[in-house]
Amino acid sequence: MNLRPLIAGLFFAVCSLPSGAEDGYDLWLRYRAIDTTAHPALVYRLGPVVAGNVSTSTLVVAGEELRRGLQGLLGTEVPLAREVKNPGAIVYGTPESSPYIAELRLPLANLGREGYLIRSVKIAGQPAIAIAANTDVGVLYGSFHLLRLLQTRHRIDVLDVSSRPSTQIRVLNHWDNLDGHVERGYAGQSIWDWHKLPGWVGPRYTDYARACASIGINGAVLTNVNANATSLTPAYIAKTRALSLALRPYGIRVYLTARFSAPIELGGLKTADPLDPAVRAWWKKKVDEIYAEIPDFGGFLVKANSEGQPGPQDYKRTHADGANMLAEALAPHRGIVMWRAFVYSNETPTDRAKQAYDEFVPLDGKFADNVLVQVKNGPIDFQPREPFHPLFGAMPKTPLMMEFQITKEYLGFATHLAYLAPLFEEALDSDTRVKGKGSTVAKIVDGELHGYKYTGMAGVSNIGSDRNWTGSHFDQANWYAFGRLAWDPELSAREIAEEWTRMTFTNDPSFVKPVVEMMMDSREAVVDYMTPLGLAHLMDTGHHYGPGPWVNSLNRADWNPTYYHRADEKGIGFDRGPTGSNATAQYAPDVAKLFADQKKVPEQFLLWFHHLPWTHKMASGRTLWDEIAFRYTRGVERATKLRDTWYELKYRPDMQGYIDAERYAQIVAFLQIQVDEAQWWRDACIAYFQSVNKLPLPAGIAPPRQPLEYYKSLKFPYAPGRG
Amino acid sequence: MNLRPLIAGLFFAVCSLPSGAEDGYDLWLRYRAIDTTAHPALVYRLGPVVAGNVSTSTLVVAGEELRRGLQGLLGTEVPLAREVKNPGAIVYGTPESSPYIAELRLPLANLGREGYLIRSVKIAGQPAIAIAANTDVGVLYGSFHLLRLLQTRHRIDVLDVSSRPSTQIRVLNHWDNLDGHVERGYAGQSIWDWHKLPGWVGPRYTDYARACASIGINGAVLTNVNANATSLTPAYIAKTRALSLALRPYGIRVYLTARFSAPIELGGLKTADPLDPAVRAWWKKKVDEIYAEIPDFGGFLVKANSEGQPGPQDYKRTHADGANMLAEALAPHRGIVMWRAFVYSNETPTDRAKQAYDEFVPLDGKFADNVLVQVKNGPIDFQPREPFHPLFGAMPKTPLMMEFQITKEYLGFATHLAYLAPLFEEALDSDTRVKGKGSTVAKIVDGELHGYKYTGMAGVSNIGSDRNWTGSHFDQANWYAFGRLAWDPELSAREIAEEWTRMTFTNDPSFVKPVVEMMMDSREAVVDYMTPLGLAHLMDTGHHYGPGPWVNSLNRADWNPTYYHRADEKGIGFDRGPTGSNATAQYAPDVAKLFADQKKVPEQFLLWFHHLPWTHKMASGRTLWDEIAFRYTRGVERATKLRDTWYELKYRPDMQGYIDAERYAQIVAFLQIQVDEAQWWRDACIAYFQSVNKLPLPAGIAPPRQPLEYYKSLKFPYAPGRG
């Protein structure tokens, strides 16, 4: 089915948009009116919104959000009031700010600094809803929660909700450069307009903060991990301060990346040795300077001695030495250091998958109190599927933060539908076995297993200047899912998908059901057409757009796809068991045994851990080669099904259908691009592997559409998001 | 008056915006409802919109625009109909498409291919309005004109409008790179999403086309003049084709820039010599390939042998040889070549201002029929003020196109208010005297003076991915003014400003009057605080952001500001009279005499043409040095007045005021940035010139706020728009 003519037709149908069209800017905070005849229980006598003594900007924005949300959802004016006079009031605040909340004596003790309660209560004899917390930001989170209940059509007549976050530091990592380019960004430029800051602080920063707060994100690292010392100059500190003013009411702290060599580049020192007193003094002074402008500055994220970045090893010091120096400067201000474990080196002869573990495990217990080590979900680099990172569970004395990649560097950029919550969930649910069964990664990250003082989860942002924020409408779900999971790793990918779909599109079950199925199948589709059976890192060089399994000419061995798949005439896969790199030994014994056993290892990790002959017999009864060809082909079929499911969702030109014409049309076009690119991935990979093994394709599997040389000849010098 | 606290306050007031807020996306096509009680004559019984036999996409979009506009303006449903039954119908079409129009036998003969009539008529005994033209695109232009009359509150009860464009080719030059970066762009990235084309053709392309068509722009050069051969590869031709499909209904042809060395880079030839048969064959084949995909492709814009670009001189051929080769390939398809006269070379010892003339005048008469030479308004490079380019009038046998720069590379980027229509008007009204008095540049450009076969005007676009298109709201007026002047160079800058203000903001005269005054004064303010009295090219290097009059270290002499101002202990200015470079001799004798005479030359060009002692007595009675200091200071005062005037425009928080909160706040912030940067320019330039002449400042003129070294120390490595 070729949808191109259809798309062209659609284009003219939606050709130009009235102001206020559904262009995705509103994200999941659309607050469109509830059909009150269908949901009378929901909207029965709601409002006014009753504030207490609102003296902080956070309570102001909480009240405004409640009012805005209710006005949209109920379709009526909802006043802000100071007193409860009628049934249906929504009373919000802390015991300190609201006398009503104080009087209710709600059980707030276990909610911590950010948790909240939402309860059906009686106030002055009238039924009311109370949103209560120990802090203003807790009240704000509770306000968004109540709105979400309405948006997703939960009953609100008998409410007893209590929630607190599982992790303390829930941050987005913006890989944004000071010139506006976003490394691995597929949604336009950076949303930070550094050039016009601090003179112009636009309203988009506030809408960013609203969206983040609505899902519990409480921090933003503004700058790229491939850091630039300029961000620490006074002119840029003033810019960062202006941003912090916009984000602070929403409970969002700003963080910066610290370039390790900044004392040389900015301070004119001859060294950046972390044990050098002048270097330490420089950082202390710099940090004091930042806090003088931004009193709630969060701290630093650091990528050191990785992919060319400077770091403590340049001076024969350890990562702990480097992190602790910064931690010392930050400690008096309660700032923290997030030190990335993403280190590997071409000079190290070891399997790249092993290097972070080798480097960091010996340092366990040597980091200062206010240092967290930030670990990617898998041991390589955000591939469509990786086993969990062996560091999880291996550093009981060092708080380990999770680092997920929300931007789809390796999963089809902006156009492919790849809902990532199943990937996040798979990582969090992985059982490390370090303290027996049930020692999940989630329990390490949330501090339960090792009693970490700090806990956190970082997501590499997919946000940019595109009108719909994330480049595609479905990619908004990945931002959403990251925030929801950082707050509560117990949530299932499916329930998050359903919640998001209801808020973003419609509550109509005949839309929600198939769309949630699309989302839930999408990541497996990508795995199938890009890297099935534990293959990884097959993408083209530099931009990472499209397939490049043949690439073997890069200076660094560990940047070549051939390093990862190791395909030759006889077989394919990376032997990481005891006969190979022995990376399996970095896992707890039970897990190590499982992964090292080619008969027991989950098939999805087969070629990650094992090099096997093409003729290896699979559970399906197929040979390995046939299975690979089958999976690639199935990936294209799955992508095709995504498109066709969407296409069949009764689009209605009168805009009274499930979804507006504009978003519908873009999603159709993107799903068609996904089908085309899935085919390209499949054909290129099959053509290449077949050129290596010279084996025939199994019956029923179509040959690649073009010869291998064609796929090799494709060049994309202007693909977005370059590093 | 320091407005920073106010701005901070405003920020929280507008903090986040409901969907459909006035964010500038609608440009001057807002179509907000007319207050019918105030304007009963306007809206008395309008509609339906009566189409004839609508079989082309251009007539479809004309009807849709009429309907959309009328519905917005009248606040009622306006149907499309096939018959006139009631009074007030709007009948549109060509005699071929509409029987009603045919019956009216309107005098269309003199309207040409793009002109139109709008008339009050009677149809079937009912009063109606006819929009008639010889072609569909003429009908579209007439439709926009009628809407403009309503938008600006002209009476429409007795209409007799006739209009046709003065120039044939009215094009935007997008200096957009294939990676999305816009050279000299200050409004985000390119609006062309090359990476997702042709799979995704978004609605923004259509809104771009609507805006262009509404002001008569009929062409878009999609790619940077610093050209990339990749844009001529099959993959990119397919992308350009997709764009052409979106733009074609609006009468907009697409053009590309041709990299002269493309036959080598893409074709594998050893030369790009324009007289080499293989090179000619390569271009012919390439052009045929483009037309096979894009039958109305417009042609090529070429920058050759300038600032490092390849060109025919690399092979000892002339610009005519190069242009004619491309023209030959394009001629069978009715395509054209726009060959830029912006050439200068460091190796040429002549005054840079003279080089284009020296190079091109000998070639007059040697260009093929379908070549236009595109000439910048002034002889250097889009400075805040330049005298007209001496080529105008000097090439009677070669069609000369005007090239204006709409993007404000040298006039404050996106934030400064600098309404450019007075600059455009000044250039067009300049009297070259080549055929006696009244031989204006306008009459050369529109072909009247020399009877050119082709005529055209190009504007270097200021359009980008920013939500408001141009980076600032006021910069929309420069796009608007360019289009309006390209259609009709007789329009005054003031009437265009008034028209635009009414459409973009409000018709309330107590808003329109002061805002038009702001716009009309703004460019002179910039001249005062950047480059008064004929000074030029004083900006900092590379990014061109902020002052750098001290820069004298660049490899190319003619890139150094010191080359242009020639300030020393004794005096300042560039002697371009007979005692100097004798650039004045390139003008017609009367003009040459005027410019060469330091007593008669208009003061605004004084230092452009003359090197004078600091003690030179000015008309004001001041010395030259005192006058320079006075003008710089006045520039800051003017900028301050712009801000204060805006601030006093009764902003109303209930949004019932003149202007919505969002646009109001951004304009306040930008005007404050302009004040700050005007002060910076003034202080830095005064500090520098004073360091050269060691003279005291006149009484009442404040010293610079910082020492010269401070200004020299400022670095802006991430300023936007780099080349």
Side-chain angles (χ1 to χ4, degrees), chain A residues 641-654:
Chain A
K641 192 176 164 208
L642 295 177
R643 181 198 67 187
D644 292 349
T645 303
W646 182 259
Y647 178 58
E648 282 157 21
L649 283 170
K650 281 177 284 177
Y651 156 68
R652 296 176 197 166
D654 61 1

Side-chain angles (χ1 to χ4, degrees), chain B residues 328-487:
Chain B
E328 186 185 71
L330 288 158
H333 307 283
R334 298 161 175 263
I336 58 149
V337 175
M338 297 172 284
W339 193 271
R340 291 177 93 225
F342 179 65
V343 299
Y344 64 100
S345 160
N346 192 39
E347 284 76 52
T348 310
T350 330
D351 174 8
R352 170 172 163 188
K354 291 178 68 178
Q355 296 182 28
Y357 180 102
D358 289 348
E359 196 90 60
F360 277 85
V361 167
L363 299 175
D364 193 28
K366 299 195 174 151
F367 286 98
D369 256 13
N370 55 334
V371 176
L372 297 95
V373 171
Q374 183 169 308
V375 183
K376 292 188 183 190
N377 58 287
I380 299 290
D381 193 14
F382 300 136
Q383 292 300 297
R385 169 164 275 128
E386 298 190 26
F388 69 91
H389 200 297
L391 272 176
F392 290 111
M395 295 188 72
K397 296 181 202 150
T398 309
L400 298 186
M401 282 179 77
M402 173 61 82
E403 177 175 321
F404 285 129
Q405 190 178 46
I406 308 172
T407 188
K408 304 206 313 298
E409 176 178 359
Y410 300 108
L411 288 98
F413 290 11
T415 47
H416 295 212
L417 168 51
Y419 173 54
L420 298 179
L423 187 161
F424 301 159
E425 189 177 39
E426 183 177 301
L428 291 167
D429 288 354
S430 296
D431 195 346
T432 68
R433 299 283 194 102
V434 291
K435 290 195 175 183
K437 279 198 183 180
S439 303
T440 61
V441 170
K443 285 188 187 162
I444 290 157
V445 170
D446 72 13
E448 186 185 328
L449 212 65
H450 301 311
Y452 291 153
K453 180 177 169 190
Y454 286 103
T455 59
M457 220 184 271
V460 180
S461 158
N462 63 350
I463 297 162
S465 60
D466 276 6
R467 181 65 182 166
N468 67 13
W469 298 89
T470 54
S472 87
H473 296 291
F474 273 111
D475 281 336
Q476 297 179 353
N478 293 328
W479 177 8
Y480 184 85
F482 166 75
R484 297 286 286 136
L485 282 168
W487 183 280

Side-chain angles (χ1 to χ4, degrees), chain B residues 11-35:
Chain B
F11 166 70
F12 286 107
V14 298
C15 59
S16 65
L17 300 160
S19 209
E22 292 256 20
D23 53 21
Y25 184 78
D26 290 340
L27 296 161
W28 48 87
L29 300 174
R30 287 165 60 253
Y31 303 139
R32 295 300 186 276
I34 296 171
D35 176 357

